[in-house]
Structures are given as structure tokens and as C-alpha cells.
Amino acid sequence: MDRHTSFITAPFITTPFLRHISQKILLSTTLFISASSLFSPLAQAEPNTARVISAGAAITEIINALGAEQQLIAVDVTSKTLVADNMPKVGYHRQLSAESLIALAPTRIIGSDEMGPPKTLTLLKQSGIEVDIVNGGETVSDLLHRIDQVAALTQHSQQAQQLKQTITTTVKTIKQNNSHQTQPKKVLFLMIHDGRPISVAGKNTTADSIITLAGAINPAAAVVANYKPVSTEAILQMQPDIILLSNRTTASIKDMAQLIKKMPVLEATPAAKNNAIAVIDGTALIGGLGIHSINEAMRLNHILYPQS
């Protein structure tokens, strides 16, 4: 196949190998846990005097979905697409500044165990601000537990039951589709940053959870944990059917030809031979498995295994 063929841009960027089903993916979005479908019925919560800063997209999307967004006074930059443009942004959730957060006079800051640095969190606590670190795990159970935690902190526990039911139903739908697959595809996620070695997503990563939930096999999970570089020999043994990239990566790497130029070993894989690249929204990988992660797993599932 022609490796220079243009990709289709959607929440996933698909290659000619996958393009024949792209229209169906767009039509199936009603199955997803969408922001618009969750915010409207739950946004009628009573006003609350809490002043909350959310440090992480996975936290902010839960706050929004619970209808507790009126408590937000600021978010970190990973949440910028989840709030109004005029909402203050306090930097990256791993590199927060105590001074800038204290100046906003929050009553509480909610984040995952990725929030930091520790010195900043100590200064916030000393200033009388509640610092709440919620579950940042990589499983659906972790996500459901995190929803309960955020709901308790924002006093929206009643709304949490509806949200958890929606997530459970979506996961069940994905698994039902997976039950018909006899030959699961191998999907390898590559993390590519300029100036750093290329890493793969091994076990204990959100990328691995999304791939597995979508009914695929992550060949890197048997080799490494977390995001780590691997040898050329290891990549060759993995023989991925599809390469999964974040949308940040595809801003500079547009097609398989450019990817192979950066990582020549991929040329000897089925993914390269079939020109098979899919793209995931990078915000779905931050702070553990989140609502958006479930959405992306659903999209990947429909790309891999389209329904007749």
C-alpha cells in the first residue's frame, strides 16, 4: 500500500487499512460517555460554597460529569479543553506553584498521585487548604472508586450512581463486542518526545488498559511495565498489527513513512506493511483510567472490530 496516503482526522486518525469503517465510528458516538450527555441532566446541583482547583483532566471530567463544575475556580493545563476559556489555569499538575494556587483562595485542591511536587503540596496544607489525592489507578474499578471519592469531596454522591451506571453499561457494550473476536489484534502504543528515547506503553499504564479494554493485545505488556524504551529485537518480536500514537505525536509525525524514518525497525512489522496507525487523545492517558479513556477504548474497539 502507499505509505504516503493522507489520513482521515477524527478522534482517531486512521489509515487506508482502517478507513473503510471510519464513517461507522462517527455514527456510533452515541454509545460513548460524552461530556454533553452527562453535564446537562446533572448540572442542576445546588450551589456550593466550596472553591475547588482540579489538578488533572481525569479529575476535572468527573467533576463536570457529576454536575459539580460550579465549584471549580481553576484547573491545571491538562483540563483546559474541559472548562471555559476564562477559567484560570494553574500550570501542569506535576509542577504546581504554591504561590499561584494560594492566591486564588481555594478551599480544596483535588488531584491524583501524579500531583506535585511534594514541596508545593506541603505549603498548600500549611496554608490551610485541603489537599485531596484521589485514586489514579488504571482499571475500571479504580475509575469507579475515584468517582465515589470526587463525589464525596464535592457532595455529589447521589449523582455518582448515575455516572457509574453509565460507565458500567459502556464497558459491558465493549466487552460484548469483544466476545465475538477469535483473533485479537496486537496494538502497540509509542510515546515519542523530541530529545528522548522512544518508549512503549507496558503494563500498569492507562494506554495498556485502553488497548486491553478495546479487545486487543498489548505486546509490550509482557516485556516492560510503565513507559520505557525497548530494544530493536523486542519490537521485532512484538510484531504489532497497529501502531497507536497520541495526537500530540501526530502533530509532527504525519504518516507511517515519517514514523519509519524515526523508528526504522517498524518497517518489518504488519503495522507498517498495512500502513496501520491509529491515534488516541493524549488527555485520555493522564491521571489514570478516566471517563475519556473509556470513550477512547470504545472508539478503538470499533476501529479494530467493526460491527456488521
Side-chain angles (χ1 to χ4, degrees):
M1 286 190 180
D2 181 8
R3 290 175 179 157
H4 299 277
T5 305
S6 298
F7 290 2
I8 296 174
T9 301
F12 278 100
I13 299 176
T14 58
T15 66
F17 174 70
L18 304 170
R19 183 174 295 166
H20 66 287
I21 60 162
S22 62
Q23 195 66 33
K24 178 172 289 186
I25 299 165
L26 297 176
L27 293 175
S28 67
T29 56
T30 54
L31 294 174
F32 294 176
I33 307 167
S34 68
S36 60
S37 65
L38 286 172
F39 296 174
S40 299
L42 300 180
Q44 307 301 321
E46 290 296 323
N48 194 292
T49 57
R51 293 174 56 83
V52 175
I53 294 177
S54 174
I59 307 299
T60 305
E61 64 187 10
I62 292 174
I63 291 174
N64 287 345
L66 290 171
E69 65 273 17
Q70 74 279 356
Q71 298 181 20
L72 287 173
I73 62 166
V75 297
D76 88 310
V77 294
T78 67
S79 303
K80 63 183 180 180
T81 62
L82 302 174
V83 294
D85 291 341
N86 61 355
M87 174 74 70
K89 315 301 186 297
V90 295
Y92 184 52
H93 66 142
R94 292 178 183 268
Q95 300 171 340
L96 299 174
S97 165
E99 292 78 7
S100 62
L101 271 65
I102 292 171
L104 293 168
T107 57
R108 109 172 31 250
I109 296 170
I110 307 175
S112 72
D113 56 6
E114 296 178 351
M115 178 172 60
K119 181 179 179 181
T120 292
L121 303 185
T122 298
L123 290 172
L124 293 171
K125 293 174 183 177
Q126 290 174 347
S127 71
I129 299 169
E130 295 288 339
V131 177
D132 299 292
I133 298 176
V134 299
N135 188 343
E138 313 294 343
T139 69
V140 174
S141 294
D142 290 330
L143 170 57
L144 298 179
H145 180 47
R146 189 184 319 128
I147 289 170
D148 283 334
Q149 290 177 303
V150 175
L153 293 171
T154 59
Q155 299 181 20
H156 280 68
S157 294
Q158 183 175 353
Q159 290 85 346
Q161 299 308 311
Q162 179 182 338
L163 177 56
K164 291 193 296 181
Q165 183 58 52
T166 304
I167 290 170
T168 301
T169 299
T170 302
V171 171
K172 182 178 180 180
T173 299
I174 298 173
K175 290 182 176 180
Q176 286 175 339
N177 195 24
N178 294 343
S179 65
H180 304 295
Q181 311 311 321
T182 57
Q183 294 183 322
K185 296 183 183 297
K186 292 189 288 185
V187 178
L188 179 65
F189 178 81
L190 299 179
M191 178 178 286
I192 302 175
H193 296 295
D194 289 338
R196 303 181 194 175
I198 297 175
S199 297
V200 301
K203 62 182 179 180
N204 302 328
T205 63
T206 303
D208 176 59
S209 298
I210 291 172
I211 291 168
T212 303
L213 184 58
I217 295 171
N218 175 16
V223 180
V224 295
N226 304 315
Y227 296 94
K228 292 181 180 177
V230 295
S231 67
T232 298
E233 292 76 13
I235 294 291
L236 285 173
Q237 290 178 355
M238 291 178 195
Q239 288 291 291
D241 298 302
I242 296 173
I243 300 298
L244 187 61
L245 303 174
S246 75
N247 52 356
R248 177 177 176 178
T249 296
T250 55
S252 57
I253 296 177
K254 305 295 185 182
D255 55 28
M256 183 64 77
Q258 291 182 357
L259 182 58
I260 289 174
K261 186 175 181 180
K262 196 169 187 69
M263 199 173 185
V265 66
L266 293 177
E267 190 166 18
T269 66
K273 294 173 184 177
N274 291 308
N275 198 24
I277 292 178
V279 177
I280 190 171
D281 185 347
T283 61
L285 304 175
I286 298 172
L289 191 77
I291 296 173
H292 193 34
S293 308
I294 302 295
N295 290 347
E296 293 292 75
M298 173 71 92
R299 290 185 184 276
L300 181 58
N301 176 260
H302 280 265
I303 285 176
L304 299 174
Y305 313 117
Q307 294 293 287
S308 57

